[in-house]
């Protein structure tokens, strides 16, 4: 769980165009804290995650998605793999993927 949250924080930081040092300064945290968070070594408090989410202009629910996702269906493992790959993408890559998926859905819907 720590790794997934850390990856989401890192991706949000990169999307915001911030370095670890810049994020740490804005959050009044150490850059080593940000590094350990992004590398899945620590799990910060909800208060700190909320603060980081505000600074990074993302929803707290985006960072904590795994705590809210229901599981148990047969396609959960596949969905997790897809979501993991999407989480690692930049915003422009996500926009391109969304356009592609919409085209694909339109194509298979016309069969």
């Amino acid at each position: 769980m720590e790794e997934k949250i850390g990856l989401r924080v890192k991706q949000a930081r990169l999307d915001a165009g911030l370095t670890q040092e810049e994020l740490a300064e804005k959050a009044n945290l150490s850059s080593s804290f940000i590094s350990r968070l992004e590398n899945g070594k620590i799990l910060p408090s909800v208060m700190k995650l909320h603060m980081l989410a505000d600074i990074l202009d993302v929803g707290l629910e985006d960072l904590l998605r795994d705590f809210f996702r229901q599981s148990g269906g047969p396609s959960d493992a596949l969905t997790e793999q897809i979501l993991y790959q999407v989480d690692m993408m930049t915003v422009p890559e996500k926009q391109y993927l969304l356009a592609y998926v919409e085209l694909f859905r339109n194509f298979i819907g016309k069969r």
Side-chain angles (χ1 to χ4, degrees):
M1 193 67 57
E2 291 89 349
E3 295 87 8
K4 290 181 181 183
I5 293 171
L7 286 173
R8 290 198 179 96
V9 169
K10 180 178 182 177
Q11 189 60 57
R13 175 182 60 77
L14 293 172
D15 290 345
L18 297 173
T19 65
Q20 286 183 344
E21 293 76 18
E22 290 167 333
L23 177 57
E25 185 176 318
K26 287 178 180 277
N28 199 28
L29 299 167
S30 70
S31 56
S32 66
F33 178 89
I34 301 297
S35 175
R36 288 181 292 150
L37 168 61
E38 289 184 359
N39 288 303
K41 304 292 183 202
I42 58 170
L43 185 60
S45 68
V46 173
M47 295 294 285
K48 284 185 182 171
L49 275 177
H50 189 277
M51 176 182 55
L52 291 170
D54 284 345
I55 292 168
L56 296 169
D57 196 28
V58 297
L60 182 60
E61 66 278 4
D62 294 327
L63 300 179
L64 296 173
R65 183 180 325 161
D66 298 299
F67 288 108
F68 303 113
R69 184 174 295 133
Q70 294 182 2
S71 61
S75 67
D76 280 350
L78 182 58
T79 301
E80 284 296 321
Q81 290 174 354
I82 292 169
L83 290 173
Y84 176 78
Q85 293 299 323
V86 170
D87 283 343
M88 300 306 296
M89 293 178 172
T90 63
V91 170
E93 290 170 336
K94 290 175 184 177
Q95 291 169 333
Y96 179 80
L97 178 63
L98 177 59
Y100 181 80
V101 169
E102 288 171 345
L103 285 171
F104 178 74
R105 295 288 301 161
N106 287 335
F107 173 76
I108 63 171
K110 293 180 181 179
R111 288 180 154 180

